[in-house]
Amino acid sequence: MSPLNNISSNFMLTVKKEIIENRKALLFGIGSCWGLCILLGAFLGKFRMGGGMQEVFVFCFLFSIMSSIAGSLTFSNMKSKTGRISTLLLPASVVDKFLVRWLAVVPGLFVIMIIGFYIGDFSRIIMNWICGGNMDEHYNKIINIWVLPSKIGGSESTLVSTLFISGYFFTQALYIFGAILWPKLSFIKTMFALWALQMIVGIVSMTLNHLFDFHLPFYMSIDRFL
């Protein structure tokens, strides 16, 4: 067997092992994500809300929390002695072990959340129809999140899309890094660490602004997009 085939075989064995050992957790996680999307969509449809950028902002906030929790659980198997021994004895490289979990938590979760958004949006329309609410054609249309930011117009559409996507992945990356630093109670520890860091940055920024009149101009108002 060539080295390339051997690497591919080890990687697939690692994938299979992770799926078998974490099958219930994966199914529970996907089901919880989509279930919350359905509940949120039904809530919006019940009270005739959503159907535009407001709904996208709400779902993005929900997905940001979900991705942070998932990121903090990336290396949950390292919390116990048994889990650490099982991981270390697995006949696969460190890269394979990390890559499998990274693929599941980062691109895999992102795809699941995109599907969840459309499931939630569809449940909004169904609930609105059941409650005999707003029959407006625009409201009862599935949102296309890939073209919605372009309706803002100009270069600001690119900025808004970039802020959403980069903010999502950056926040998730911080929680994944926290999962590596402290596997136990990773979400809580990382959240408090980020809160402390934000406090320090805020104090330093206010000090610089007071001493040197230093500021970063940002003229866009979020109200324009709601």
PDB file of all heavy atoms in Angstrom, residues 7 9 14 44 52 55 70 81 93 101 123 139 159 186 189 191 199:
ATOM      1  N   ILE A   7      -2.393   6.895   4.381  1.00  0.00           N
ATOM      2  CA  ILE A   7      -2.893   8.093   5.059  1.00  0.00           C
ATOM      3  C   ILE A   7      -4.408   8.192   4.917  1.00  0.00           C
ATOM      4  O   ILE A   7      -5.134   8.469   5.873  1.00  0.00           O
ATOM      5  CB  ILE A   7      -2.211   9.353   4.490  1.00  0.00           C
ATOM      6  CG1 ILE A   7      -0.723   9.356   4.856  1.00  0.00           C
ATOM      7  CG2 ILE A   7      -2.869  10.618   5.024  1.00  0.00           C
ATOM      8  CD1 ILE A   7       0.057  10.471   4.209  1.00  0.00           C
ATOM      9  N   SER A   9      -6.498   5.757   4.328  1.00  0.00           N
ATOM     10  CA  SER A   9      -7.126   4.679   5.084  1.00  0.00           C
ATOM     11  C   SER A   9      -7.200   5.012   6.570  1.00  0.00           C
ATOM     12  O   SER A   9      -8.237   4.804   7.210  1.00  0.00           O
ATOM     13  CB  SER A   9      -6.350   3.383   4.876  1.00  0.00           C
ATOM     14  OG  SER A   9      -6.886   2.338   5.659  1.00  0.00           O
ATOM     15  N   THR A  14     -10.414   6.766  11.239  1.00  0.00           N
ATOM     16  CA  THR A  14     -10.652   7.729  12.315  1.00  0.00           C
ATOM     17  C   THR A  14     -12.057   8.308  12.223  1.00  0.00           C
ATOM     18  O   THR A  14     -12.747   8.460  13.242  1.00  0.00           O
ATOM     19  CB  THR A  14      -9.616   8.863  12.252  1.00  0.00           C
ATOM     20  OG1 THR A  14      -8.299   8.314  12.249  1.00  0.00           O
ATOM     21  CG2 THR A  14      -9.761   9.798  13.437  1.00  0.00           C
ATOM     22  N   LEU A  44     -41.807  33.052  15.193  1.00  0.00           N
ATOM     23  CA  LEU A  44     -41.877  34.205  14.297  1.00  0.00           C
ATOM     24  C   LEU A  44     -43.158  34.189  13.475  1.00  0.00           C
ATOM     25  O   LEU A  44     -43.799  35.226  13.269  1.00  0.00           O
ATOM     26  CB  LEU A  44     -40.653  34.216  13.372  1.00  0.00           C
ATOM     27  CG  LEU A  44     -39.292  34.454  14.039  1.00  0.00           C
ATOM     28  CD1 LEU A  44     -38.176  34.297  13.022  1.00  0.00           C
ATOM     29  CD2 LEU A  44     -39.227  35.822  14.698  1.00  0.00           C
ATOM     30  N   GLY A  52     -37.342  38.725   6.651  1.00  0.00           N
ATOM     31  CA  GLY A  52     -36.368  39.639   6.061  1.00  0.00           C
ATOM     32  C   GLY A  52     -35.079  39.638   6.855  1.00  0.00           C
ATOM     33  O   GLY A  52     -34.714  38.641   7.487  1.00  0.00           O
ATOM     34  N   GLU A  55     -35.135  38.582  10.602  1.00  0.00           N
ATOM     35  CA  GLU A  55     -35.088  37.138  10.845  1.00  0.00           C
ATOM     36  C   GLU A  55     -33.672  36.601  10.692  1.00  0.00           C
ATOM     37  O   GLU A  55     -33.221  35.754  11.473  1.00  0.00           O
ATOM     38  CB  GLU A  55     -36.024  36.411   9.874  1.00  0.00           C
ATOM     39  CG  GLU A  55     -36.049  34.901  10.069  1.00  0.00           C
ATOM     40  CD  GLU A  55     -36.993  34.218   9.113  1.00  0.00           C
ATOM     41  OE1 GLU A  55     -37.835  34.900   8.504  1.00  0.00           O
ATOM     42  OE2 GLU A  55     -36.878  32.981   8.958  1.00  0.00           O
ATOM     43  N   ALA A  70     -20.728  24.251  20.448  1.00  0.00           N
ATOM     44  CA  ALA A  70     -20.146  23.119  19.724  1.00  0.00           C
ATOM     45  C   ALA A  70     -18.626  23.205  19.703  1.00  0.00           C
ATOM     46  O   ALA A  70     -17.927  22.196  19.859  1.00  0.00           O
ATOM     47  CB  ALA A  70     -20.693  23.072  18.301  1.00  0.00           C
ATOM     48  N   LYS A  81      -9.966  10.540  31.935  1.00  0.00           N
ATOM     49  CA  LYS A  81      -8.772   9.732  31.742  1.00  0.00           C
ATOM     50  C   LYS A  81      -9.002   8.650  30.698  1.00  0.00           C
ATOM     51  O   LYS A  81      -8.140   8.388  29.848  1.00  0.00           O
ATOM     52  CB  LYS A  81      -8.349   9.102  33.069  1.00  0.00           C
ATOM     53  CG  LYS A  81      -7.056   8.310  33.001  1.00  0.00           C
ATOM     54  CD  LYS A  81      -6.670   7.770  34.365  1.00  0.00           C
ATOM     55  CE  LYS A  81      -5.369   6.976  34.284  1.00  0.00           C
ATOM     56  NZ  LYS A  81      -4.977   6.437  35.620  1.00  0.00           N
ATOM     57  N   SER A  93      -2.607   9.605  13.084  1.00  0.00           N
ATOM     58  CA  SER A  93      -1.760  10.766  13.380  1.00  0.00           C
ATOM     59  C   SER A  93      -2.556  11.836  14.116  1.00  0.00           C
ATOM     60  O   SER A  93      -3.796  11.845  14.096  1.00  0.00           O
ATOM     61  CB  SER A  93      -1.194  11.342  12.083  1.00  0.00           C
ATOM     62  OG  SER A  93      -2.227  11.879  11.284  1.00  0.00           O
ATOM     63  N   ARG A 101     -12.370  16.126  13.729  1.00  0.00           N
ATOM     64  CA  ARG A 101     -13.223  16.941  14.597  1.00  0.00           C
ATOM     65  C   ARG A 101     -13.394  18.358  14.041  1.00  0.00           C
ATOM     66  O   ARG A 101     -14.475  18.946  14.161  1.00  0.00           O
ATOM     67  CB  ARG A 101     -12.640  16.985  16.010  1.00  0.00           C
ATOM     68  CG  ARG A 101     -12.756  15.633  16.717  1.00  0.00           C
ATOM     69  CD  ARG A 101     -12.128  15.635  18.087  1.00  0.00           C
ATOM     70  NE  ARG A 101     -12.354  14.354  18.729  1.00  0.00           N
ATOM     71  CZ  ARG A 101     -13.370  14.084  19.530  1.00  0.00           C
ATOM     72  NH1 ARG A 101     -14.256  15.026  19.792  1.00  0.00           N
ATOM     73  NH2 ARG A 101     -13.515  12.896  20.066  1.00  0.00           N
ATOM     74  N   SER A 123     -40.837  26.668   8.559  1.00  0.00           N
ATOM     75  CA  SER A 123     -41.772  26.524   9.682  1.00  0.00           C
ATOM     76  C   SER A 123     -42.459  27.855   9.993  1.00  0.00           C
ATOM     77  O   SER A 123     -43.611  27.872  10.445  1.00  0.00           O
ATOM     78  CB  SER A 123     -41.043  25.985  10.913  1.00  0.00           C
ATOM     79  OG  SER A 123     -40.120  26.939  11.416  1.00  0.00           O
ATOM     80  N   TYR A 139     -44.071  37.957   2.409  1.00  0.00           N
ATOM     81  CA  TYR A 139     -43.832  37.348   3.721  1.00  0.00           C
ATOM     82  C   TYR A 139     -43.817  35.825   3.636  1.00  0.00           C
ATOM     83  O   TYR A 139     -43.079  35.165   4.363  1.00  0.00           O
ATOM     84  CB  TYR A 139     -44.910  37.803   4.707  1.00  0.00           C
ATOM     85  CG  TYR A 139     -44.695  37.278   6.114  1.00  0.00           C
ATOM     86  CD1 TYR A 139     -43.808  37.913   6.979  1.00  0.00           C
ATOM     87  CD2 TYR A 139     -45.368  36.140   6.571  1.00  0.00           C
ATOM     88  CE1 TYR A 139     -43.598  37.441   8.266  1.00  0.00           C
ATOM     89  CE2 TYR A 139     -45.159  35.660   7.856  1.00  0.00           C
ATOM     90  CZ  TYR A 139     -44.281  36.308   8.697  1.00  0.00           C
ATOM     91  OH  TYR A 139     -44.063  35.822   9.959  1.00  0.00           O
ATOM     92  N   LEU A 159     -19.582  44.297   3.014  1.00  0.00           N
ATOM     93  CA  LEU A 159     -19.145  44.504   4.394  1.00  0.00           C
ATOM     94  C   LEU A 159     -20.034  43.755   5.373  1.00  0.00           C
ATOM     95  O   LEU A 159     -19.552  43.101   6.299  1.00  0.00           O
ATOM     96  CB  LEU A 159     -19.147  45.997   4.719  1.00  0.00           C
ATOM     97  CG  LEU A 159     -18.741  46.383   6.152  1.00  0.00           C
ATOM     98  CD1 LEU A 159     -17.345  45.866   6.468  1.00  0.00           C
ATOM     99  CD2 LEU A 159     -18.824  47.885   6.329  1.00  0.00           C
ATOM    100  N   SER A 186     -15.212  24.057  29.390  1.00  0.00           N
ATOM    101  CA  SER A 186     -14.555  24.906  28.394  1.00  0.00           C
ATOM    102  C   SER A 186     -15.388  26.124  28.019  1.00  0.00           C
ATOM    103  O   SER A 186     -14.862  27.233  27.918  1.00  0.00           O
ATOM    104  CB  SER A 186     -14.246  24.082  27.137  1.00  0.00           C
ATOM    105  OG  SER A 186     -13.730  24.895  26.117  1.00  0.00           O
ATOM    106  N   LYS A 189     -15.386  28.757  30.930  1.00  0.00           N
ATOM    107  CA  LYS A 189     -14.057  29.348  31.109  1.00  0.00           C
ATOM    108  C   LYS A 189     -13.701  30.282  29.945  1.00  0.00           C
ATOM    109  O   LYS A 189     -13.165  31.380  30.166  1.00  0.00           O
ATOM    110  CB  LYS A 189     -13.013  28.247  31.240  1.00  0.00           C
ATOM    111  CG  LYS A 189     -13.120  27.447  32.527  1.00  0.00           C
ATOM    112  CD  LYS A 189     -12.073  26.346  32.579  1.00  0.00           C
ATOM    113  CE  LYS A 189     -12.175  25.528  33.864  1.00  0.00           C
ATOM    114  NZ  LYS A 189     -11.191  24.425  33.902  1.00  0.00           N
ATOM    115  N   MET A 191     -15.799  31.813  27.922  1.00  0.00           N
ATOM    116  CA  MET A 191     -16.690  32.974  27.951  1.00  0.00           C
ATOM    117  C   MET A 191     -16.188  34.024  28.938  1.00  0.00           C
ATOM    118  O   MET A 191     -16.141  35.217  28.627  1.00  0.00           O
ATOM    119  CB  MET A 191     -18.111  32.529  28.323  1.00  0.00           C
ATOM    120  CG  MET A 191     -19.119  33.668  28.351  1.00  0.00           C
ATOM    121  SD  MET A 191     -20.799  33.080  28.674  1.00  0.00           S
ATOM    122  CE  MET A 191     -20.590  32.392  30.339  1.00  0.00           C
ATOM    123  N   MET A 199     -13.059  43.555  28.525  1.00  0.00           N
ATOM    124  CA  MET A 199     -12.963  44.631  29.518  1.00  0.00           C
ATOM    125  C   MET A 199     -11.613  45.334  29.422  1.00  0.00           C
ATOM    126  O   MET A 199     -11.539  46.569  29.441  1.00  0.00           O
ATOM    127  CB  MET A 199     -13.153  44.046  30.918  1.00  0.00           C
ATOM    128  CG  MET A 199     -14.560  43.575  31.216  1.00  0.00           C
ATOM    129  SD  MET A 199     -15.720  44.944  31.442  1.00  0.00           S
ATOM    130  CE  MET A 199     -15.108  45.660  32.953  1.00  0.00           C
TER     131      MET A 199
END
